Amino acid sequence: MPDPHDPLEPRPRVSLGTWPTPLEPAPRLAAALDLRPEDLWIKRDDLSSLGSGGNKARKLEWTLGAALAAGADTVITIGAPQSNHARLTAAAAARLGLTAILVFPGGPGDSHSGNIALDGLFGARVAWAGDADRAVLSRLAEDIASQLRADGLRPALIPFGGSSATGALGYVESARELLDQAPDFDLAVVALGSGGTMAGLVAELGPSRVLGIHTGAIDEPQRVVADFAGQVSGTAVAADQLHVRLDQVGGGYGEFTEPTADALSLVARTEGIVLDPIYTGRAMAGLIAAVKDGSIRPGQKTVFFHTGGLPGFFGNDNAVRRAEAQLAVYPLPE
C-alpha cells in the first residue's frame, strides 16, 4: 500500500538515471585536509548516466514525469548557455521523444564548447534572448509556451535549474540512498545552486545534517531552500535552521574563484575526480574552508555530493587555461 505521508507516493515519474549512485571513500583527499582516511566520502551523482551525468537527472525524473502525465510534447526551460540543467533537459527530451526548447541570454556563437555543444548534439532548439536577465528569460519562455499552445502543441515549462517542490523529490530519494549506504554519516555537503537539491536533502535528512555552499545562483538562498523543503516535507522549515555558507560566491555566480581553482586541483590530484568551476568546485572550496575553521572536524563522517557538471569545465576558458598551465613538461632523454 502506498504511504499517503510519503512525498514520493503517489507521483508520476520517468526513469532517466542509474540508481543508486556509488558512495566512494576519498582517503587521500581526507589526508590532504588533515582528516582521518575514513572521514570523507563522495556521493557520485555525477555518475547518474543520462547526458554526461549530474544531479539534474534526479529532478527531471519527477518534473518530466509530471509533464508527460499532463500530455506534454515539448519542454521549455531557461538558463545560461553552460547550464547543466539545460543540457540534461535536452538529453532527457531526446530519450523521451520530446522537443526541447532552451531559452538563453546572448546569441549564437557566444559559447562554443562544454554544455552548449552537447545541447546541439541532443537536438535541442535554442531561443537566444540577447541581454536578458532571469525575469526576462522566464517571460520569454512563457511567451513561447503560449505561442506553441496556439499552434496546437502541448508545452511544459520546467523551472530554472529544475528546482521546485516537485524537482526536489529527486533528492529525497538520493538522501534515502545515502541512508542505506552510510546510515552513520554525520554531515552532507552540497552545492546550493537553484535550491532544489539541498531542499530535498533537508526534507529527508533534516537541517542539521546538511551543509549547503551558496554559489550565487539565486538571491535569498536560505529562504528558497526552506520554502521548497517545507513544501516537500509538509512541515514548516525555518530559513534560520539551515546551515549555509555564503563565503564562496566571490565576485558573483559566473566567476571562477581562486579557492575553487585550488579545490579543483586538489581533488583531481588526490582522487582523480574532476569538479566543475561553478557548483561542485565551489562546494568543495566550502568544505575545505569548513575544515580549516573547525566546522568540520576529524572523526566526523562527511559526505560530499558530487552533483556533476563536468562538461561545464570545458566551457569555462579560465578553468581550462589554469589546468593547462599546470601541465608539467618532462624532458626527453638526450
Side-chain angles (χ1 to χ4, degrees), residues 224-235:
V224 171
V225 171
D227 286 350
F228 286 153
Q231 291 176 56
V232 171
S233 66
T235 304

Side-chain angles (χ1 to χ4, degrees), residues 202-203 207 222-223 225-231 233 235-242:
V202 167
Q222 292 99 323
R223 180 191 61 78
V225 171
D227 286 350
F228 286 153
Q231 291 176 56
S233 66
T235 304
V237 176
D240 61 7
Q241 290 181 284
L242 302 175

Side-chain angles (χ1 to χ4, degrees), residues 184-276:
D184 60 339
F185 88 95
D186 294 298
L187 184 68
V189 179
V190 66
L192 198 177
S194 50
T197 298
M198 182 177 176
L201 295 177
V202 167
E204 186 66 19
L205 302 173
S208 66
R209 298 179 84 180
V210 183
L211 171 63
I213 312 299
H214 182 37
T215 64
I218 57 173
D219 297 328
E220 301 183 273
Q222 292 99 323
R223 180 191 61 78
V224 171
V225 171
D227 286 350
F228 286 153
Q231 291 176 56
V232 171
S233 66
T235 304
V237 176
D240 61 7
Q241 290 181 284
L242 302 175
H243 297 283
V244 175
R245 290 190 75 106
L246 306 174
D247 58 345
Q248 298 303 319
V249 175
Y253 172 63
E255 181 186 357
F256 183 47
T257 68
E258 195 67 24
T260 299
D262 292 341
L264 261 66
S265 295
L266 180 63
V267 174
R269 293 183 178 207
T270 55
E271 300 295 342
I273 292 173
V274 182
L275 306 179
D276 86 282

Side-chain angles (χ1 to χ4, degrees), residues 36-262:
R36 300 173 187 175
E38 66 275 14
D39 285 348
L40 189 56
W41 297 73
I42 301 179
K43 177 68 169 157
R44 297 296 303 272
D45 271 15
D46 58 314
L47 302 180
S48 55
S49 78
L50 177 75
S52 293
N55 63 323
K56 309 302 182 180
R58 290 192 187 270
K59 298 179 181 182
L60 287 162
E61 290 199 334
W62 299 90
T63 55
L64 290 184
L68 287 174
D73 54 24
T74 304
V75 291
I76 307 166
T77 198
I78 67 170
Q82 289 300 334
S83 165
N84 295 312
H85 163 66
R87 181 241 311 163
L88 280 173
T89 300
R95 177 174 293 186
L96 298 171
L98 303 172
T99 298
I101 299 174
L102 313 176
V103 186
F104 290 157
D110 289 350
S111 181
H112 298 283
S113 63
N115 283 317
I116 191 69
L118 293 177
D119 295 338
L121 195 64
F122 294 134
R125 301 169 66 186
V126 176
W128 293 104
D131 186 14
D133 61 16
R134 192 173 303 157
V136 172
L137 294 177
S138 295
R139 178 179 58 77
L140 291 172
E142 293 276 5
D143 291 346
I144 291 169
S146 296
Q147 181 184 53
L148 292 174
R149 290 188 195 102
D151 292 339
L153 298 174
R154 299 181 301 279
L157 288 163
I158 307 299
F160 170 72
S163 287
S164 63
T166 300
L169 295 174
Y171 271 82
V172 172
E173 183 173 54
S174 186
R176 292 180 183 180
E177 285 181 14
L178 176 58
L179 289 170
D180 286 340
Q181 292 167 323
D184 60 339
F185 88 95
D186 294 298
L187 184 68
V189 179
V190 66
L192 198 177
S194 50
T197 298
M198 182 177 176
L201 295 177
V202 167
E204 186 66 19
L205 302 173
S208 66
R209 298 179 84 180
V210 183
L211 171 63
I213 312 299
H214 182 37
T215 64
I218 57 173
D219 297 328
E220 301 183 273
Q222 292 99 323
R223 180 191 61 78
V224 171
V225 171
D227 286 350
F228 286 153
Q231 291 176 56
V232 171
S233 66
T235 304
V237 176
D240 61 7
Q241 290 181 284
L242 302 175
H243 297 283
V244 175
R245 290 190 75 106
L246 306 174
D247 58 345
Q248 298 303 319
V249 175
Y253 172 63
E255 181 186 357
F256 183 47
T257 68
E258 195 67 24
T260 299
D262 292 341

Side-chain angles (χ1 to χ4, degrees), residues 269 313-314 317-329:
R269 293 183 178 207
F313 175 88
F314 298 104
D317 289 341
N318 290 329
V320 171
R321 281 198 297 267
R322 176 162 179 139
E324 289 177 344
Q326 295 174 26
L327 189 63
V329 176

